[in-house]
Amino acid sequence: RIFHHSSTMAKSKFEYVRLFETEDRCLPNAWIVVRVDGKGFHKFSTEHDYEKPNDLRALSLMNNAAMSVMEEFKDICLAYGQSDEYSFVFRKETQVYSRRSAKLSTNVCSLFTSAFVYYWSEHFPTSKPLYPPVFDGRTVLYPSNQNIRDYLSWRQADCHINNLYNTTFWALILKAGLTPVEAEQKLKGTLSGDKNEILFSQFSINYNKEPEMLRKGTTLVRRKVPIALPDGGTREKSQIVQLHTDIIGDEFWNENNHLLTIS
Amino acid sequence: RIFHHSSTMAKSKFEYVRLFETEDRCLPNAWIVVRVDGKGFHKFSTEHDYEKPNDLRALSLMNNAAMSVMEEFKDICLAYGQSDEYSFVFRKETQVYSRRSAKLSTNVCSLFTSAFVYYWSEHFPTSKPLYPPVFDGRTVLYPSNQNIRDYLSWRQADCHINNLYNTTFWALILKAGLTPVEAEQKLKGTLSGDKNEILFSQFSINYNKEPEMLRKGTTLVRRKVPIALPDGGTREKSQIVQLHTDIIGDEFWNENNHLLTIS
Amino acid sequence: RIFHHSSTMAKSKFEYVRLFETEDRCLPNAWIVVRVDGKGFHKFSTEHDYEKPNDLRALSLMNNAAMSVMEEFKDICLAYGQSDEYSFVFRKETQVYSRRSAKLSTNVCSLFTSAFVYYWSEHFPTSKPLYPPVFDGRTVLYPSNQNIRDYLSWRQADCHINNLYNTTFWALILKAGLTPVEAEQKLKGTLSGDKNEILFSQFSINYNKEPEMLRKGTTLVRRKVPIALPDGGTREKSQIVQLHTDIIGDEFWNENNHLLTIS
Amino acid sequence: RIFHHSSTMAKSKFEYVRLFETEDRCLPNAWIVVRVDGKGFHKFSTEHDYEKPNDLRALSLMNNAAMSVMEEFKDICLAYGQSDEYSFVFRKETQVYSRRSAKLSTNVCSLFTSAFVYYWSEHFPTSKPLYPPVFDGRTVLYPSNQNIRDYLSWRQADCHINNLYNTTFWALILKAGLTPVEAEQKLKGTLSGDKNEILFSQFSINYNKEPEMLRKGTTLVRRKVPIALPDGGTREKSQIVQLHTDIIGDEFWNENNHLLTIS
């Protein structure tokens, strides 16, 4: 609404059509994940000259958009992003939008998209996007702590698998001069160890020394950080921090065990 | 996905979490409406100095964003917009995204938002938005032709009711010097006829002569238009046209009766 | 509830679990069908010595149970049954149970089952069922008149296909002495015409002269019938009648056109 | 289906209507409860001369019907009943009917109803029901162990509240000669302690000495029981046992801790 409604404002005889809207409240006491995914970003990344295998400008823009979402929705306790996707985890007990599924997915998806376009020029200063980029969104529920951890592990394992593949694939093309078809052929059926070996023996690349942001993706969490006060003292403030760390093992969760406990 | 997946790519043991996603296909043979609505646009319009009672730049930007959506989704046969909202009507038989509700609402909502930011500067050349604007989205089903007509009538009646109110409200403020509270007080309990009378007697405004875009909103439909060929002949091409006309009465539907028949 | 609750009755701290129930209202202005289906009735019919290929006692018991459902739910305008299944069509505008899907399916299914057991002895006077028979239920929505007609045509075509097959199958076994495996083998790949021919040439059975209840199933509709009054006059009363007629063609629907028009 | 289908059986052009059925799979890794509730049992209990405040025949018939359900569905690990309702708890990991909500609720509800009618004469030997009794059914999900315990606590607290009320209400009527209206009036606004006091001082009834089945309802669980073998040894067999015990406190759950752990 752009303008206020008077409570006595006339209602039309067509109002009955509102009854066709359906309720879609998420089951209480379950983790709510909203994941946004780039639509047609294989094409988009080519058309916008994303660097291969990873474009740091694009990743930092994704992180920037995700920060905007997390600043708006205080009930998002963790976000995880990689490639052209970002997952937002709402607290189990969140009551935002009465837990209505479509409200959550469309608001998160719209804000993410909006921020992506809005902040584009800060990360790609020399060019405007050729057309408006699009992300789809979905809401998924996870009942248990193990489930939500497995969900995030699934996305981080996906990040690892894809990034190892892409790093090798583009080394073969950019450094060894293979065509994409030849590179794909060479990697067909290879296991992780094979790709590590190719990288090391052919290109002297130790994959485990590659930047963590590329290998692990980006995890956003809130942290209490001390703020200096004029009187020389400090006070705590909640801030969103970007981590590029393993979230599959127990260590991260032990260090951040407030995430999985009801606040 | 930014990169291709090899079909032999490893799958992790966490894949089971995909089973937690739910199917949300819309009932076949029902009209699908996706409506996007500005989030907090009362505040947004004030902060961005929207002209009162209507800002033509803002409305043309809304129409521009809606055109982008309709160009992308060929199965949208009609769109209707007013104020900070736009409704997109998909053909009854559409199979786009397998009629999955969340796919439809998030894609439309994301593209609309993206285009709104992307084309902002063409309509507001002198300023950038202060922050990323957001629209929410929802999918609603209507089984019969009468229902979908009543839905659109509901939105157009809403446009009329609000615009008459706002035109009078802002005339009282901008031309008669009332405060917002005084203006609201004066309009409390008034009927349409009363507002028309105030406009005419106090401000010499004949409401029915106000621009149709403001009184009727904007309807987008596809039209076959003749395209001149180099050889002097013509061929037909489908084009999206903007109408500012009554869509409550029968006339529009008689003239566009292909809209309600299965193609 | 067996007993009244006082409105001041204490509520426990566990009441919050009610919030986990979900809304499941059916889309307005759509036909609601509840279909009940016998569970494991191939086995049930063998164990209870159903006559082959059709058992008239079993069919009349099914019809009796369906009559009970239709007498209870005044908003069921038509029911159609064959074999071990029955479909109940609620008026498009019904508000019974606020159109809640699970309420509709479980109530219809429970009453049908209950009546099936309750009236068993009237149709199978010499024996009790060996164990409690079970029917499952489902709610399906159909937006248009054509859809609901096609749904009923689907069930009646199914009745025809199955009954022709079964009539031939059991003639081969009971009259020609084939084993079930031989009979199935002989019918493999045959078309309707082939089965008609087998029936006629081998068994002198003209399939089209078989009882209509077997070939067409049973349709229940409400009819106004005249009731004689003591003073010699008559008044009209609504009564449920059983028809065994074609409901695929137009004739039935022309004669009963009130069924498809909003009352 | 009463008869087998040949895999080559003809399909009609109406088959498309099957696409209108919706998927309704329950979220994985959540407890599934199906609760059945007597429809109109206040009236039913009066018409069938149920003894007040509790009819032991009716309760044992309810338990009998519930046993039938639990014998059929091996994935029901616990059932709890009181008054005219019964709740069936499926194992979190159950895959029965692919966790489809309507399949679960209608099958459980139909079997419960069927068994209720089927076994009626064993519990009410002198009379047949006056008409087929009906139970509705619903499926509800609970994500955590605490939630499912709270659900069951809710039902048992309800049992306690109602039974204390009814015991006092009917004592006032049957023993003190009050009319129902007078009894209701007298109990208005009373707390548990007040009702206990009335029972004790007026009727010498120590409520805590009332039969546990009435105060606690009936809990069905499976127990391994030793079966004597011909050779003098024993083997273990799973059997359903009826308990009338507190399931709100920790004791029951500590003794039956296999119920809440994944098998």
Side-chain angles (χ1 to χ4, degrees):
Chain A
R1 292 288 93 228
I2 291 189
F3 296 106
H4 276 305
H5 282 258
S6 159
S7 61
T8 59
M9 201 161 268
K11 288 200 173 168
S12 72
K13 63 168 170 165
F14 306 116
E15 291 266 336
Y16 82 90
V17 297
R18 300 190 70 170
L19 299 172
F20 289 64
E21 299 188 15
T22 49
E23 257 228 22
D24 62 349
R25 300 194 184 199
C26 294
L27 186 68
N29 197 30
W31 295 98
I32 299 175
V33 173
V34 176
R35 182 169 79 247
V36 297
D37 260 290
K39 183 190 173 185
F41 260 56
H42 183 65
K43 184 161 165 280
F44 184 87
S45 66
T46 305
E47 289 167 343
H48 291 83
D49 297 320
Y50 276 26
E51 280 166 30
K52 309 295 182 183
N54 289 288
D55 190 297
L56 294 177
R57 302 164 301 173
L59 291 177
S60 68
L61 174 54
M62 289 290 289
N63 293 342
N64 194 341
M67 298 278 282
S68 301
V69 172
M70 208 157 158
E71 269 154 21
E72 175 71 20
F73 291 98
K74 304 302 183 199
D75 275 1
I76 295 173
C77 57
L78 183 149
Y80 175 76
Q82 54 122 336
S83 186
D84 62 343
E85 70 168 55
Y86 239 101
S87 298
F88 299 92
V89 181
F90 286 81
R91 297 189 312 120
K92 253 180 162 173
E93 321 81 51
T94 186
Q95 291 303 324
V96 64
Y97 296 129
S98 306
R99 301 175 73 87
R100 280 185 289 162
S101 177
K103 275 279 185 191
L104 289 164
S105 59
T106 60
N107 270 286
V108 166
C109 185
S110 174
L111 175 49
F112 188 91
T113 306
S114 193
F116 189 91
V117 183
Y118 189 85
Y119 295 115
W120 174 275
S121 61
E122 296 185 12
H123 304 269
F124 293 85
T126 59
S127 68
K128 211 186 128 123
L130 300 169
Y131 51 86
V134 175
F135 295 83
D136 73 13
R138 80 194 66 203
T139 302
V140 193
L141 300 182
Y142 291 104
S144 75
N145 289 350
Q146 191 59 53
N147 293 148
I148 190 68
R149 277 192 57 179
D150 286 348
Y151 171 79
L152 293 165
S153 296
W154 175 49
R155 299 324 304 143
Q156 191 168 55
D158 188 80
C159 173
H160 168 71
I161 291 163
N162 289 331
N163 193 60
L164 176 56
Y165 182 92
N166 292 327
T167 302
T168 320
F169 180 80
W170 285 100
L172 290 169
I173 291 169
L174 300 175
K175 299 184 178 165
L178 271 61
T179 65
V181 171
E182 289 166 345
E184 199 180 335
Q185 208 53 41
K186 186 169 174 73
L187 293 177
K188 212 171 196 169
T190 57
L191 304 177
S192 290
D194 304 324
K195 296 190 197 75
N196 275 307
E197 181 59 25
I198 292 171
L199 285 173
F200 193 71
S201 60
Q202 266 192 268
F203 308 109
S204 303
I205 295 173
N206 181 344
Y207 182 72
N208 291 320
K209 296 278 168 64
E210 290 291 292
E212 287 216 296
M213 180 163 80
L214 310 181
R215 290 187 294 117
K216 302 293 183 192
T218 300
T219 303
L220 306 181
V221 289
R222 299 180 198 281
R223 283 275 167 80
K224 292 262 189 292
V225 292
I227 303 286
L229 293 177
D231 65 1
T234 56
R235 64 173 183 84
E236 294 219 309
K237 207 196 142 196
S238 179
Q239 213 173 325
I240 302 167
V241 296
Q242 295 189 15
L243 311 173
H244 312 294
T245 188
D246 177 82
I247 57 173
I248 296 179
D250 289 334
E251 195 179 331
F252 171 81
W253 298 99
N254 289 337
E255 280 171 11
N256 296 275
N257 65 353
H258 62 284
L259 291 172
L260 299 181
T261 41
I262 292 189
S263 53
Chain B
R1 291 288 95 228
I2 290 188
F3 295 106
H4 277 305
H5 282 258
S6 160
S7 60
T8 58
M9 201 160 267
K11 287 199 173 170
S12 71
K13 63 170 171 165
F14 307 116
E15 290 267 336
Y16 82 90
V17 297
R18 300 190 69 171
L19 299 171
F20 290 64
E21 300 188 14
T22 49
E23 259 228 17
D24 63 348
R25 300 192 184 200
C26 295
L27 186 69
N29 197 29
W31 295 98
I32 299 175
V33 173
V34 175
R35 180 167 80 248
V36 297
D37 260 289
K39 183 190 172 187
F41 260 55
H42 183 64
K43 184 161 165 281
F44 185 88
S45 66
T46 304
E47 289 167 343
H48 291 83
D49 297 319
Y50 277 25
E51 280 166 31
K52 308 295 183 181
N54 289 290
D55 188 298
L56 294 178
R57 301 164 303 172
L59 291 176
S60 67
L61 174 54
M62 290 291 288
N63 293 341
N64 194 342
M67 298 278 282
S68 301
V69 172
M70 208 158 158
E71 269 154 21
E72 175 71 19
F73 292 99
K74 303 303 183 197
D75 275 2
I76 296 173
C77 57
L78 182 149
Y80 175 76
Q82 54 122 336
S83 187
D84 61 344
E85 69 167 57
Y86 238 101
S87 297
F88 299 93
V89 181
F90 285 81
R91 298 187 313 118
K92 254 180 161 173
E93 320 82 49
T94 187
Q95 291 303 324
V96 64
Y97 296 129
S98 306
R99 300 176 74 86
R100 279 185 290 162
S101 177
K103 276 278 185 192
L104 289 164
S105 60
T106 59
N107 270 285
V108 165
C109 185
S110 174
L111 176 49
F112 189 91
T113 305
S114 193
F116 189 90
V117 183
Y118 189 85
Y119 295 115
W120 173 276
S121 61
E122 296 185 14
H123 303 269
F124 292 86
T126 59
S127 67
K128 209 185 131 120
L130 300 169
Y131 51 86
V134 175
F135 294 84
D136 73 15
R138 80 194 67 200
T139 303
V140 193
L141 300 182
Y142 292 104
S144 75
N145 289 350
Q146 190 59 52
N147 292 150
I148 190 68
R149 278 192 57 180
D150 286 348
Y151 170 79
L152 293 165
S153 296
W154 176 49
R155 300 323 305 143
Q156 193 169 55
D158 188 80
C159 173
H160 168 72
I161 292 164
N162 289 331
N163 193 59
L164 175 57
Y165 182 91
N166 292 327
T167 303
T168 319
F169 180 79
W170 284 101
L172 290 168
I173 291 170
L174 299 175
K175 299 183 179 166
L178 270 62
T179 67
V181 170
E182 288 167 347
E184 198 181 334
Q185 209 53 41
K186 186 170 174 74
L187 292 178
K188 210 171 196 169
T190 56
L191 302 177
S192 289
D194 304 324
K195 297 190 198 74
N196 275 307
E197 181 58 26
I198 292 171
L199 284 174
F200 194 70
S201 61
Q202 266 193 269
F203 308 109
S204 302
I205 294 173
N206 181 343
Y207 181 72
N208 290 321
K209 295 279 167 63
E210 289 291 289
E212 286 216 296
M213 180 163 80
L214 308 181
R215 291 187 293 116
K216 303 292 184 193
T218 299
T219 303
L220 305 181
V221 288
R222 300 180 198 280
R223 281 276 164 79
K224 294 262 189 292
V225 291
I227 303 285
L229 292 176
D231 66 0
T234 56
R235 64 175 185 82
E236 294 220 308
K237 209 197 141 196
S238 179
Q239 214 174 325
I240 301 166
V241 296
Q242 294 189 18
L243 310 173
H244 311 295
T245 187
D246 177 83
I247 57 172
I248 297 178
D250 291 334
E251 196 178 329
F252 170 81
W253 298 99
N254 289 337
E255 281 170 11
N256 295 276
N257 65 353
H258 62 284
L259 291 172
L260 298 182
T261 41
I262 291 188
S263 54
Chain C
R1 292 286 93 229
I2 291 189
F3 296 106
H4 278 306
H5 282 257
S6 161
S7 61
T8 57
M9 203 160 265
K11 288 199 174 170
S12 72
K13 63 169 170 167
F14 306 116
E15 290 268 334
Y16 82 90
V17 297
R18 299 190 70 172
L19 299 171
F20 290 64
E21 300 188 14
T22 49
E23 257 227 20
D24 62 348
R25 300 194 184 200
C26 295
L27 186 69
N29 198 29
W31 295 97
I32 299 175
V33 173
V34 176
R35 180 167 80 249
V36 296
D37 261 289
K39 183 189 171 188
F41 260 55
H42 183 65
K43 184 161 166 281
F44 185 87
S45 66
T46 304
E47 290 167 342
H48 291 83
D49 297 320
Y50 276 25
E51 280 166 30
K52 309 295 182 180
N54 289 289
D55 190 298
L56 294 178
R57 300 164 302 173
L59 291 176
S60 67
L61 173 55
M62 289 291 288
N63 293 342
N64 193 341
M67 298 278 283
S68 300
V69 172
M70 207 158 159
E71 269 154 21
E72 176 70 20
F73 292 98
K74 304 304 183 198
D75 276 1
I76 296 174
C77 58
L78 182 149
Y80 175 75
Q82 54 120 340
S83 187
D84 61 343
E85 68 167 56
Y86 239 101
S87 297
F88 298 93
V89 181
F90 285 82
R91 297 189 313 119
K92 255 181 160 171
E93 320 82 50
T94 186
Q95 291 304 323
V96 64
Y97 295 129
S98 307
R99 300 175 74 85
R100 280 184 290 162
S101 177
K103 275 279 185 191
L104 289 164
S105 59
T106 59
N107 269 285
V108 165
C109 185
S110 173
L111 175 49
F112 189 90
T113 306
S114 193
F116 188 90
V117 183
Y118 189 84
Y119 294 115
W120 173 275
S121 62
E122 295 185 13
H123 302 270
F124 292 85
T126 60
S127 67
K128 214 185 127 123
L130 299 169
Y131 51 84
V134 175
F135 295 83
D136 73 14
R138 79 195 67 201
T139 302
V140 193
L141 299 182
Y142 291 103
S144 75
N145 289 350
Q146 190 60 53
N147 293 149
I148 190 69
R149 276 192 58 180
D150 286 348
Y151 171 79
L152 292 166
S153 296
W154 175 49
R155 299 325 303 144
Q156 192 169 54
D158 188 80
C159 173
H160 169 71
I161 292 164
N162 289 330
N163 193 59
L164 175 57
Y165 182 90
N166 292 327
T167 303
T168 319
F169 180 79
W170 285 100
L172 289 169
I173 290 169
L174 300 175
K175 298 183 179 166
L178 271 61
T179 65
V181 171
E182 288 167 347
E184 199 180 334
Q185 209 52 41
K186 187 170 174 72
L187 293 178
K188 212 170 193 169
T190 56
L191 304 177
S192 289
D194 304 325
K195 295 190 198 76
N196 274 307
E197 181 58 25
I198 292 170
L199 284 174
F200 194 69
S201 60
Q202 266 191 268
F203 309 107
S204 302
I205 295 172
N206 181 342
Y207 182 71
N208 291 321
K209 295 280 167 63
E210 290 290 292
E212 287 216 296
M213 181 162 81
L214 309 181
R215 291 188 293 117
K216 302 294 183 192
T218 300
T219 303
L220 306 181
V221 289
R222 298 179 199 280
R223 283 275 165 78
K224 293 262 190 295
V225 291
I227 302 285
L229 293 176
D231 66 2
T234 57
R235 64 175 186 82
E236 293 218 309
K237 208 198 142 194
S238 180
Q239 213 174 324
I240 301 167
V241 295
Q242 295 190 16
L243 309 173
H244 312 296
T245 187
D246 177 82
I247 58 173
I248 296 179
D250 290 334
E251 195 179 332
F252 171 81
W253 298 100
N254 289 338
E255 280 170 11
N256 294 276
N257 66 351
H258 62 283
L259 290 172
L260 298 182
T261 41
I262 291 189
S263 54
Chain D
R1 292 287 94 228
I2 289 188
F3 295 106
H4 276 305
H5 283 258
S6 159
S7 61
T8 58
M9 202 160 266
K11 287 201 174 169
S12 72
K13 63 170 170 165
F14 306 117
E15 290 267 336
Y16 82 90
V17 297
R18 299 190 71 172
L19 299 171
F20 289 64
E21 299 188 15
T22 49
E23 258 228 20
D24 62 349
R25 300 194 184 199
C26 295
L27 185 69
N29 198 28
W31 295 98
I32 300 175
V33 173
V34 176
R35 181 169 80 247
V36 296
D37 260 290
K39 182 189 173 189
F41 261 55
H42 183 63
K43 184 161 165 282
F44 184 88
S45 66
T46 305
E47 289 168 343
H48 292 82
D49 298 320
Y50 276 26
E51 279 167 31
K52 309 295 183 181
N54 288 290
D55 188 300
L56 294 178
R57 301 163 304 173
L59 291 176
S60 67
L61 173 54
M62 289 292 288
N63 293 341
N64 193 342
M67 297 278 283
S68 300
V69 171
M70 208 159 160
E71 270 155 19
E72 175 71 21
F73 292 98
K74 304 302 184 197
D75 276 1
I76 296 174
C77 58
L78 182 150
Y80 175 76
Q82 54 121 338
S83 187
D84 61 343
E85 69 168 57
Y86 239 102
S87 297
F88 298 93
V89 181
F90 285 81
R91 296 189 313 120
K92 255 181 160 172
E93 321 82 51
T94 186
Q95 291 303 325
V96 64
Y97 296 128
S98 306
R99 300 175 73 87
R100 281 184 289 162
S101 177
K103 274 279 185 192
L104 290 164
S105 60
T106 59
N107 269 286
V108 166
C109 185
S110 173
L111 176 50
F112 189 91
T113 306
S114 193
F116 189 89
V117 183
Y118 189 84
Y119 294 115
W120 174 275
S121 61
E122 297 185 11
H123 303 268
F124 292 86
T126 58
S127 67
K128 212 187 128 124
L130 300 168
Y131 50 85
V134 175
F135 294 83
D136 73 14
R138 80 194 66 200
T139 302
V140 192
L141 300 181
Y142 292 102
S144 75
N145 289 350
Q146 190 60 53
N147 293 150
I148 190 68
R149 276 192 59 179
D150 286 349
Y151 171 79
L152 292 165
S153 296
W154 176 49
R155 299 323 305 144
Q156 191 169 56
D158 188 80
C159 173
H160 168 71
I161 292 164
N162 289 330
N163 193 60
L164 176 57
Y165 183 91
N166 292 325
T167 304
T168 321
F169 180 78
W170 285 100
L172 289 169
I173 291 170
L174 299 175
K175 299 183 178 167
L178 270 61
T179 66
V181 171
E182 288 167 347
E184 199 181 334
Q185 209 54 40
K186 186 170 175 73
L187 293 178
K188 211 170 195 170
T190 56
L191 303 177
S192 289
D194 304 325
K195 296 189 198 76
N196 275 306
E197 180 60 25
I198 292 170
L199 284 174
F200 194 71
S201 61
Q202 265 191 271
F203 308 108
S204 303
I205 294 173
N206 181 344
Y207 181 72
N208 291 321
K209 295 280 168 64
E210 290 290 290
E212 287 216 296
M213 180 162 81
L214 309 181
R215 290 187 294 117
K216 302 294 184 192
T218 300
T219 303
L220 306 181
V221 290
R222 299 180 199 280
R223 282 275 166 79
K224 293 261 190 294
V225 291
I227 302 286
L229 292 176
D231 66 0
T234 56
R235 64 175 185 83
E236 292 219 310
K237 208 197 141 194
S238 180
Q239 213 173 326
I240 302 167
V241 295
Q242 295 189 16
L243 310 173
H244 312 294
T245 187
D246 177 82
I247 57 173
I248 297 179
D250 290 334
E251 195 179 331
F252 171 81
W253 298 99
N254 289 338
E255 281 169 11
N256 295 275
N257 65 353
H258 62 285
L259 291 172
L260 298 182
T261 40
I262 291 188
S263 54

